[in-house]
Amino acid sequence: MGRRAGRRGGRRGVAGWRAAVRITAVGAALCASSAALPGPAAVAAPDDVTSYAFSDDVRTVQAATGTTGAAGLEPGATYRSSLSLPSPTASEGQSPDDNQGQGQGQGQGQGGETEGEVAKAYFRLELDDVSNVYVAVTAIPRAGSKLTVGDGISVSVQDADSTPCSRDSAIVGASKSPQPITAWGARELLQGRGACHGAGTYYVIVERTRTRAGASAGTGAGTNAGTDAGAGSGTRAGAGEEPWELEIAPVSEPALTKAVATSVPEEWDSATPTPPTGTPVAVRGGAGFAKATAVDQGVWRDEIVPGQTLFYKVPVDWGRQVSASVDLGSADKDSGYVVDALDMTLYNPVRAEVKDASVGYGGRQKSAALQPVPPVRYVNRYASASATKALRFAGSYYLVVHLAAQVGERFGAGPYGLTLRVRVGGSVQAAPGYAGRSAPRGFFDVGPRDPELSAGPGLTSGDASGGRGASDGDPAMKAVAVGGIGAGSVLLAVLGAWTLTARRRATAQMRANAQNPTA
């Protein structure tokens, strides 16, 4: 009896241990599955909502204060630098270079013309005589910076003889909210147009401008590689102003194997497209151009907090036509109104602005939509309108969404619900016959569909391809599929083994009882 009791006690102990193992395994599998799911913490904003995500392979480069000693930039690489404002004791008056560009800035304050003061950073390019080169510069103001409407940057390209090739500018705008702002320059080889066609040394000049309180932001008139904006006027900044970080992204576009017509089609479908509808798919926007989250046609759900900027990229092939709108959810309280609270800007593959849309916010849901733009065509570069000019390449187009910091002061820290609706219409056309390779390689090709794009959302309108989304900028979203599938497989395996073991044990017990009924 003692032995039998011992055996029974041993069996109970083994059975208890096995049960504990089963419970632990199942619990671990369920915990792994739960951990992989993107709950509220997965879309929470970083502590510093104005932080900018630079490219992983970014190169640090020191800005020069003049052409002598200017650091060289190579198309295809991405660079990180900074730009300061001079102290109030620095000389005033507009920079001589401001009058050399194709667009000239003008501005008047309450007491007459504004006084200008700018800081400059110089960089160098060594170019051939067959490629177009584009240089985008993104400036990132520090979190908590006190900005004015006219705070911004201008970017120009000049040859070694000070001949202007292009000029573009960008300002913070009415929201005065610290956010990444992007301007660009170019050395283009357009048939029968412009200068700067020779091989040799060129300079990229980045200027930081500011408008004094009581003076209006400068406005400009003129033309350049892809925008009609001239340089804005600026005035002196306060002492101790912290520098703005810069991301500089030069890109080269090869020449064509044969010349093409320079006439731009006048007719295109300019009707306002119907935004796609359906159940939104959760995504997490990136924190910079290099970390932009890939989306396609469809409806996408995200969250944003005041002062935050989110980046998304959309593949747009030759002949395709992109449109987008963004919805901002309602707040928990109604406390005033914020002008220019939500802003969405469409940029082309070289980060030149195409269109933007903004909307004020009073605590109730609001929506902003881009105005219709033409299809992507090579000949668009010969157009007169800047938005059409910018639609000259296939590739990744960027949707950049910013929620003004003032929204938090009026309506709370959030997060606020964000719905992005993207449509890509039109028919794919043949690519132009490039004679060489771009830098980076394949930059103007859409290529095969991004393997990280997830299953498309259920659309009730749109083309048969549906929409797709990805999580390039969010490792948590990438873990959802892997973690969910992996945890599910483990759970099924554990349950299967458990069932098989129980069946074998029951069969063995039945056989033992049959052989020894008195046991």
Side-chain angles (χ1 to χ4, degrees):
M1 290 295 292
R3 184 178 178 185
R4 182 174 297 175
R7 289 180 61 189
R8 287 179 179 175
R11 287 175 182 175
R12 287 182 186 139
V14 172
W17 177 81
R18 288 175 177 172
V21 171
R22 290 196 296 268
I23 293 172
T24 302
V26 173
L30 291 174
C31 290
S33 178
S34 299
L37 294 178
V43 295
D47 293 335
D48 182 5
V49 297
T50 57
S51 61
Y52 183 86
F54 288 84
S55 172
D56 290 336
D57 57 355
V58 68
R59 305 177 185 178
T60 300
V61 62
Q62 184 68 38
T65 57
T67 56
T68 302
L73 305 177
E74 298 178 6
T78 306
Y79 298 87
R80 183 173 185 170
S81 191
S82 63
L83 180 65
S84 302
L85 273 177
S87 67
T89 58
S91 61
E92 297 181 2
Q94 196 169 13
S95 165
D97 289 327
D98 289 345
N99 296 322
Q100 296 177 352
Q102 296 179 6
Q104 296 181 355
Q106 299 177 356
Q108 282 196 331
Q110 296 176 354
E113 293 187 0
T114 61
E115 296 173 337
E117 182 174 298
V118 294
K120 293 185 179 181
Y122 288 79
F123 306 92
R124 176 174 46 83
L125 292 168
E126 300 295 336
L127 304 182
D128 57 31
D129 58 356
V130 295
S131 303
N132 295 321
V133 174
Y134 310 93
V135 183
V137 180
T138 299
I140 305 99
R142 294 293 183 92
S145 299
K146 300 299 182 182
L147 304 178
T148 67
V149 173
D151 277 314
I153 60 169
S154 68
V155 177
S156 61
V157 175
Q158 299 177 6
D159 69 9
D161 197 35
S162 299
T163 303
C165 308
S166 72
R167 189 181 191 95
D168 183 31
S169 62
I171 59 175
V172 171
S175 71
K176 305 177 187 177
S177 179
Q179 60 188 287
I181 53 176
T182 302
W184 68 306
R187 193 294 298 269
E188 291 186 288
L189 306 176
L190 297 179
Q191 300 176 31
R193 300 191 186 187
C196 304
H197 283 196
T201 301
Y202 290 78
Y203 296 97
V204 179
I205 306 170
V206 184
E207 303 178 4
R208 180 174 165 185
T209 60
R210 188 172 196 177
T211 301
R212 180 171 49 193
S216 63
T219 59
T223 59
N224 57 35
T227 178
D228 297 331
S233 296
T235 61
R236 68 175 59 183
E241 184 78 18
E242 291 187 344
W244 289 357
E245 288 194 288
L246 302 177
E247 183 176 63
I248 308 169
V251 174
S252 70
E253 180 191 30
L256 299 182
T257 54
K258 61 180 181 180
V260 297
T262 60
S263 59
V264 181
E266 296 181 359
E267 295 184 0
W268 53 276
D269 185 5
S270 59
T272 301
T274 302
T277 58
T279 303
V281 173
V283 294
R284 188 72 195 116
F289 283 103
K291 300 295 184 178
T293 297
V295 298
D296 207 334
Q297 175 163 297
V299 185
W300 310 97
R301 185 183 76 251
D302 205 342
E303 288 184 340
I304 191 169
V305 297
Q308 189 173 25
T309 304
L310 299 177
F311 291 74
Y312 309 88
K313 60 182 180 181
V314 185
V316 184
D317 211 337
W318 299 100
R320 304 302 298 274
Q321 191 174 5
V322 63
S323 62
S325 64
V326 60
D327 303 337
L328 181 64
S330 58
D332 294 334
K333 59 181 180 179
D334 185 353
S335 179
Y337 190 81
V338 177
V339 178
D340 198 16
L342 181 70
D343 183 83
M344 178 173 65
T345 306
L346 175 66
Y347 293 91
N348 72 9
V350 301
R351 307 181 186 181
E353 181 178 331
V354 180
K355 281 282 186 179
D356 72 335
S358 61
V359 66
Y361 188 66
R364 298 181 179 181
Q365 65 272 17
K366 297 294 289 185
S367 180
L370 299 173
Q371 293 295 317
V373 296
V376 171
R377 295 171 295 207
Y378 184 89
V379 296
N380 284 344
R381 64 193 65 209
Y382 297 102
S384 57
S386 59
T388 303
K389 282 183 178 182
L391 294 161
R392 66 180 72 186
F393 321 106
S396 292
Y397 280 70
Y398 298 92
L399 290 168
V400 181
V401 180
H402 177 76
L403 184 62
Q406 291 84 343
V407 171
E409 300 171 4
R410 292 282 188 178
F411 306 102
Y416 294 79
L418 198 71
T419 303
L420 187 66
R421 304 177 189 274
V422 180
R423 177 176 293 282
V424 182
S427 301
V428 177
Q429 298 177 357
Y434 283 122
R437 294 175 178 173
S438 63
R441 184 174 179 178
F443 191 80
F444 302 112
D445 297 330
V446 171
R449 188 170 301 279
D450 192 331
E452 292 186 351
L453 289 174
S454 62
L459 300 178
T460 57
S461 62
D463 63 16
S465 65
R468 294 169 174 84
S471 52
D472 280 7
D474 186 10
M477 292 297 292
K478 292 180 180 179
V480 171
V482 176
I485 293 172
S489 300
V490 171
L491 179 58
L492 291 175
V494 170
L495 291 176
W498 183 18
T499 302
L500 181 59
T501 302
R503 288 178 177 175
R504 289 177 176 174
R505 185 180 296 114
T507 301
Q509 185 63 40
M510 291 175 63
R511 290 176 179 173
N513 291 339
Q515 294 174 359
N516 188 11
T518 61

